[in-house]
Amino acid sequence: MLGNNKKKSLLLCILLGSTNVTALNAYTIEDDTTEATSQETSKDGGEDGIVVYKPEFFDQYFPVTALDMVNRVPGFAIDRGGDVRGFGGAAGNVLIDGKRPSTKSDNIEDLLSRISKGSVERVELIRGATGGLDLGGQQTVAVNVVRKDDAGGAIPWELSFLGSRAGFVPRLNVAYSNEINRTSYTIGLEGRQFIFQERGDENLINFAGPNELREEVEDGRFRRLSLDIKTETGFDNGDIFRLNFRTNRRGFDGEENSDRTPENQGSSDLFLQIRDNSNNDFEVSSDYEHDFSENFAIKVIGLINRQFRENLSTLDIDRAIGEDTINQSISDTTEGETIGRLEFDWNGWKNHTIQFGGEIAQNFVDSDFQLFNNGEEIPLPGSNTRVSELRGEPFISDSWSLNSKLTADLSLAVEISRIQQTGDVENSRTFVFPKPRLSFTYVPTSQSQWRLRLEQEVGQLNFFDFVSSANFDDADLDFGNPDLQPDRTLVAEAAYERRFGEIGVVSLTVFYNYVQDLIDLIPTSATTEATGNIGNGTRYGVEVGFTTPFDFIGLSDARVDVNYRIQGSSVTDLVTGESRRFSNERPQSIEIDFRKELPGLRSATGFRYFDRNDSQFFGVDEFVVQENNDTRFSMFWETTLPAGIKVRGEVNNLFNTNESRVRTVFNGSRSLSDVLFIEDQLRTQGTEFFLTVSGVF
C-alpha cells in the first residue's frame, strides 16, 4: 500500500506545528474555489514554511522519474546524509510519503529513479522547522515526494553508454513497481561500469641523488551489480510494515605502469602496480508503524548488513641496474552492522510535536592484512585485528510552534559507546557524549525565512584507522592507532532565504565550527605517523546559493543554479607548532548549472561548471598539495520523443583538465629537516561522452 496521502500530508503539517486551517488546506491542495496552480504556498503568507510543487510545474522539464523532478526543485540539492554508523545520524534530506526509507545502503537517487513521474502526486519543499519530521534532526531543508494511492504497474528504465579514451561500457537501471492485495512492492536491478585511463608525467626532483622522469599510465575499471527489493504492507487498523533487501557485487581491477628514467641512466626502471579488489555486501531492513491514537504512535526499525572485501595489490619493480623486487599486500576484511531503533511520536500537547526513544547498534571490522617482499612476509604490528563497538543512544526532541511565524526545535541525545579491539592489539574504552541541538525557524512572509542552528555533533571513528596497512603509491606504511577517540564539533549556523517569482531563490548561510580533538596525523617518530587526535581547531565560512530565471533580460525558459562556498580553518600543527588549515579541506568551491528549455523542440540544453581549490595534506615528514580535476566543464543536450522516451547526450571534462599532485618529502621532521625530494605529478583523464536513453513502460 502506498498509503493514504491526504492523511500523511495532514500529519506532516501537524509535525511542522502548523495549526492554521487555511494553511493545512493549501498544503493538502484542497481549494475548490480557485484554479490550481503548479506551485502553491500557504494562503495565509506561508507561515508553515512549505512550498508545494504539483506535477504540472515539472512538465516544462519533461521528467521521466521522481529524481528528475527533485533535481529541478528551486533552491534544493540532494544530501544523501552522513556515512556513519547507526541509523539516526545518517538521515538525508529526502522523504518519500513523509517517511525516511529504512535503509542505509541504497542511496536516495537510486530510490527516486525507481519512481515514475506518473506515480508522483506532488513534491513538497519543507524549509526549516524539520525537527518533527522523520529526519533524525539532521536537516534544516527537506523535500517530501508524495506518491499517488493507485500508483503501480510502472517500469522506469534507463540505458546509458560511457565512452572515453579507455573504452566503451554500457549501464542499465530498471525497476518494476506494483501492488498485490495490500502490499506494494518495487524490484530494482542495476548494472553499472566505469572505466578510466589517466596519463601523464611525474618529475622527481631529488636533492640526495639523480633527478628522474616518470612516464605513467593508469587504467582502471569499476563494476557493480545491484538487486533491490522493497515491500510495504498496510493493515486494516492503519499499521504499516516495510521490508527491504539489497545486495551488491562490486569489483575493481586496475593497472598502473610507471616508466622511470633517472638522469645519466640510458635505460629505464619499470614499476608495474596491479590491483584486484572485490566487495560484496547485503542489507536487510524493516520497520513497523502503529498508531495508538491520533496523538501517539510508535515506529520500530531493524537493520542488519554485512560487507566482505578482498583486496590484492602487487608492485613489480624491474630495474635496469640493480635487483628486481616484488611487493604484495593481501587484505581480507569483514564489516558488519546491526541496528535496533524505537521511536515514539506524541503531539497531544498543543503546538508541540515530541519524539523520544532509543537506538542500540553493534558494529565491527575484522581485518586480516599481509605484506610480502620477494615472497617473504613482513610483520606489520596492528595489521590483524578486530574492532567492535556497542553503542546506545537515548533521545528526545520537541518541535515547538511558538506562534504562526516562529518554530523552535529542541533535542537531546546521549551517545554511550564501548569500543573494543582484539588481535594484534588489545584495548577497550568507553565514551559518553551528550548531543544537544537547538534551532529556530522564523517565517515573516511566504517569500522569506530565517534559520538559526546550534548543535553539538560527535564524530564517528573510522575503524580502519585502528588497523595498520601498506601504501604502495607513496612507498609508505599506515600505522593504526588503538587510542583514537571521536572528535566533537560545536556548530553555529545562521541562514536567510528569499524567494521570488516561480523559481527564483537566494540563500545565505554563515557557519562557525569549534572542533575538539580534531582527527589528523600525529607523529610516532621523526618520519612515521598514525591517525590521531591533534587538538582543537576552528572552521568558519559562508555559503551562497541562488536560482534565477532569465526572463528579465528577455531569455525565456532558462534558469541558472549557483552554489558558492568559502571557508577557512585553523589548527596548531603538531610538527611545526604553527597554525595551519585542516588537512584535505578546500577553502573555496563553486558550482554553476545553466539550463535552457526549447519547448518547440521538446528539448533542453545547458552546461555545468565546477571549480574548487586544492587540498593539502600534512604528514610528519611530508607535505602534499593535490588538485583532482578541480576545474571541470560539461555540456548536455536532451530531447523527449513523442513516445515519452528521453534521449540525453553529455560531454564531461570538455577541456581535459589536468590533475596535479606535488609531494614534498623531508629528510626527517618537516620543521627541522631539509627537503629530500619533490614528486611533481601532472595527469589527464580525458574527455568523457555519455549517451542516456530513459523512459517508462
Side-chain angles (χ1 to χ4, degrees):
M1 290 287 291
L2 298 182
N4 188 320
N5 295 320
K6 180 177 177 181
K7 176 183 176 183
K8 291 176 181 177
S9 292
L10 181 61
L11 174 61
L12 197 56
C13 274
I14 293 174
L15 292 176
L16 288 166
S18 176
T19 57
N20 185 286
V21 176
T22 306
L24 291 176
N25 288 341
Y27 181 78
T28 55
I29 321 299
E30 295 177 358
D31 190 346
D32 299 328
T33 62
T34 60
E35 181 181 355
T37 61
S38 60
Q39 175 185 334
E40 290 198 35
T41 58
S42 301
K43 302 300 188 295
D44 61 351
E47 286 82 357
D48 55 5
I50 301 167
V51 182
V52 178
Y53 296 94
K54 299 176 70 177
E56 291 83 358
F57 171 81
F58 302 99
D59 285 346
Q60 58 186 313
Y61 307 116
F62 297 100
V64 173
T65 66
L67 178 60
D68 299 328
M69 302 169 78
V70 171
N71 281 336
R72 300 273 74 84
V73 172
F76 179 78
I78 292 176
D79 179 357
R80 296 180 180 180
D83 183 16
V84 297
R85 298 186 295 279
F87 190 80
N93 62 352
V94 177
L95 302 173
I96 298 176
D97 293 327
K99 299 297 179 182
R100 172 189 172 191
S102 58
T103 177
K104 291 183 63 179
S105 64
D106 212 354
N107 68 60
I108 193 62
E109 289 96 332
D110 288 343
L111 295 176
L112 294 174
S113 71
R114 299 179 192 132
I115 302 174
S116 67
K117 175 199 72 171
S119 302
V120 177
E121 177 73 25
R122 61 188 174 275
V123 177
E124 303 163 343
L125 176 64
I126 306 161
R127 304 144 55 221
T130 60
L133 301 180
D134 192 12
L135 295 171
Q138 301 299 308
Q139 304 289 346
T140 56
V141 178
V143 151
N144 180 34
V145 176
V146 181
R147 295 177 292 179
K148 297 177 181 177
D149 288 332
D150 57 352
I155 307 178
W157 58 272
E158 180 180 281
L159 178 63
S160 61
F161 303 90
L162 164 64
S164 68
R165 67 187 182 192
F168 175 86
V169 291
R171 301 174 180 178
L172 175 65
N173 187 5
V174 62
Y176 177 69
S177 300
N178 213 330
E179 187 172 338
I180 300 178
N181 297 326
R182 301 181 67 89
T183 299
S184 62
Y185 62 90
T186 298
I187 302 174
L189 181 65
E190 181 182 24
R192 179 180 292 268
Q193 293 189 70
F194 176 76
I195 57 176
F196 69 89
Q197 183 182 86
E198 293 186 353
R199 304 173 185 167
D201 296 331
E202 182 174 87
N203 289 297
L204 173 66
I205 304 171
N206 197 340
F207 296 93
N211 296 335
E212 188 174 88
L213 174 63
R214 302 169 178 176
E215 298 177 351
E216 299 177 334
V217 178
E218 182 178 4
D219 294 275
R221 178 187 297 266
F222 296 91
R223 308 175 303 278
R224 188 181 79 181
L225 180 63
S226 304
L227 172 66
D228 184 78
I229 302 173
K230 288 182 168 49
T231 67
E232 180 178 314
T233 302
F235 300 93
D236 292 336
N237 64 350
D239 289 3
I240 298 176
F241 174 70
R242 301 178 184 89
L243 180 63
N244 312 302
F245 172 78
R246 181 177 175 87
T247 182
N248 298 282
R249 294 182 62 87
R250 299 183 178 94
F252 171 76
D253 55 84
E255 181 177 298
E256 181 177 0
N257 287 275
S258 180
D259 192 338
R260 305 183 176 188
T261 306
E263 284 183 341
N264 303 321
Q265 180 173 304
S267 54
S268 60
D269 301 330
L270 302 178
F271 284 60
L272 173 62
Q273 184 174 355
I274 299 175
R275 299 182 180 92
D276 186 3
N277 304 333
S278 68
N279 185 348
N280 303 320
D281 65 82
F282 72 87
E283 179 182 278
V284 179
S285 62
S286 67
D287 65 82
Y288 191 91
E289 297 180 24
H290 173 73
D291 293 341
F292 294 104
S293 67
E294 291 185 359
N295 299 322
F296 189 46
I298 185 175
K299 184 176 182 179
V300 183
I301 301 170
L303 182 147
I304 181 171
N305 65 44
R306 295 292 183 269
Q307 189 171 113
F308 309 94
R309 300 180 181 180
E310 294 181 357
N311 298 330
L312 172 64
S313 181
T314 302
L315 177 61
D316 188 347
I317 305 175
D318 184 5
R319 300 185 185 277
I321 301 175
E323 183 180 353
D324 299 342
T325 58
I326 297 179
N327 298 311
Q328 190 174 67
S329 68
I330 303 172
S331 67
D332 189 347
T333 304
T334 301
E335 293 182 71
E337 181 172 44
T338 304
I339 301 173
R341 183 177 175 89
L342 195 62
E343 298 176 351
F344 294 93
D345 292 292
W346 182 63
N347 52 46
W349 186 9
K350 185 179 179 181
N351 297 329
H352 291 264
T353 298
I354 297 174
Q355 183 181 86
F356 60 93
E359 176 177 303
I360 186 168
Q362 183 180 42
N363 297 79
F364 72 89
V365 167
D366 201 339
S367 178
D368 183 10
F369 180 86
Q370 294 176 288
L371 179 64
F372 298 90
N373 176 256
N374 290 331
E376 181 180 349
E377 185 171 0
I378 301 174
L380 185 59
S383 61
N384 299 294
T385 188
R386 178 185 174 91
V387 183
S388 61
E389 178 188 47
L390 181 63
R391 183 177 58 83
E393 184 175 291
F395 60 87
I396 185 170
S397 66
D398 180 16
S399 185
W400 179 13
S401 181
L402 298 169
N403 54 51
S404 62
K405 298 180 182 295
L406 181 62
T407 301
D409 292 316
L410 309 91
S411 67
L412 175 64
V414 179
E415 180 179 308
I416 307 167
S417 65
R418 181 174 183 267
I419 296 179
Q420 186 173 14
Q421 186 172 2
T422 58
D424 288 353
V425 178
E426 300 283 342
N427 197 17
S428 179
R429 292 170 299 155
T430 299
F431 300 103
V432 179
F433 296 117
K435 299 194 293 187
R437 185 179 192 271
L438 173 64
S439 66
F440 293 94
T441 302
Y442 177 59
V443 188
T445 70
S446 61
Q447 289 79 36
S448 60
Q449 184 180 97
W450 294 86
R451 297 187 292 269
L452 176 66
R453 177 170 71 103
L454 297 172
E455 182 173 5
Q456 175 76 29
E457 298 179 343
V458 177
Q460 289 197 350
L461 298 176
N462 182 348
F463 284 172
F464 288 99
D465 289 334
F466 291 77
V467 182
S468 299
S469 61
N471 177 4
F472 287 164
D473 291 332
D474 291 333
D476 208 352
L477 296 176
D478 299 326
F479 291 101
N481 180 6
D483 296 318
L484 193 65
Q485 61 178 319
D487 57 22
R488 284 91 62 206
T489 303
L490 177 62
V491 178
E493 181 181 279
Y496 174 72
E497 179 184 296
R498 172 73 179 180
R499 292 184 171 263
F500 53 93
E502 188 177 51
I503 67 171
V505 57
V506 176
S507 64
L508 173 68
T509 303
V510 180
F511 60 90
Y512 176 85
N513 302 161
Y514 178 70
V515 185
Q516 295 177 281
D517 291 324
L518 176 69
I519 294 178
D520 205 320
L521 294 179
I522 60 173
T524 57
S525 74
T527 58
T528 61
E529 67 258 334
T531 301
N533 303 99
I534 67 171
N536 302 335
T538 57
R539 181 192 298 113
Y540 41 86
V542 176
E543 187 166 356
V544 179
F546 69 86
T547 300
T548 183
F550 286 94
D551 300 80
F552 63 93
I553 61 172
L555 185 62
S556 61
D557 301 312
R559 62 181 278 181
V560 66
D561 297 85
V562 178
N563 184 268
Y564 174 72
R565 180 183 177 98
I566 181 170
Q567 67 178 20
S569 59
S570 177
V571 67
T572 300
D573 192 306
L574 293 185
V575 175
T576 65
E578 299 177 353
S579 178
R580 64 164 173 86
R581 63 170 158 166
F582 293 1
S583 288
N584 301 319
E585 288 198 359
R586 301 175 186 266
Q588 293 187 74
S589 66
I590 186 169
E591 183 176 351
I592 302 173
D593 285 282
F594 173 79
R595 181 183 178 95
K596 174 71 171 74
E597 307 298 327
L598 305 169
L601 300 176
R602 296 172 59 88
S603 302
T605 186
F607 67 84
R608 179 176 185 265
Y609 172 80
F610 178 75
D611 191 19
R612 61 181 179 177
N613 290 117
D614 58 73
S615 65
Q616 298 179 359
F617 169 83
F618 301 86
V620 174
D621 64 338
E622 64 180 299
F623 172 66
V624 180
V625 179
Q626 188 154 344
E627 297 181 10
N628 287 336
N629 273 351
D630 292 321
T631 302
R632 295 181 73 93
F633 186 84
S634 62
M635 300 183 67
F636 76 91
W637 177 286
E638 66 181 32
T639 188
T640 303
L641 305 178
I645 296 176
K646 179 178 286 189
V647 181
R648 179 184 174 99
E650 184 174 348
V651 182
N652 191 22
N653 193 20
L654 183 63
F655 301 114
N656 192 18
T657 309
N658 292 325
E659 299 181 0
S660 70
R661 182 177 189 261
V662 180
R663 179 181 180 227
T664 303
V665 178
F666 297 81
N667 188 23
S669 170
R670 273 187 293 118
S671 63
L672 302 173
S673 307
D674 296 328
V675 174
L676 186 62
F677 63 84
I678 299 174
E679 294 175 335
D680 189 352
Q681 183 185 84
L682 193 65
R683 291 186 178 185
T684 63
Q685 191 170 319
T687 300
E688 300 163 342
F689 303 90
F690 294 88
L691 177 64
T692 303
V693 184
S694 59
V696 178
F697 291 132

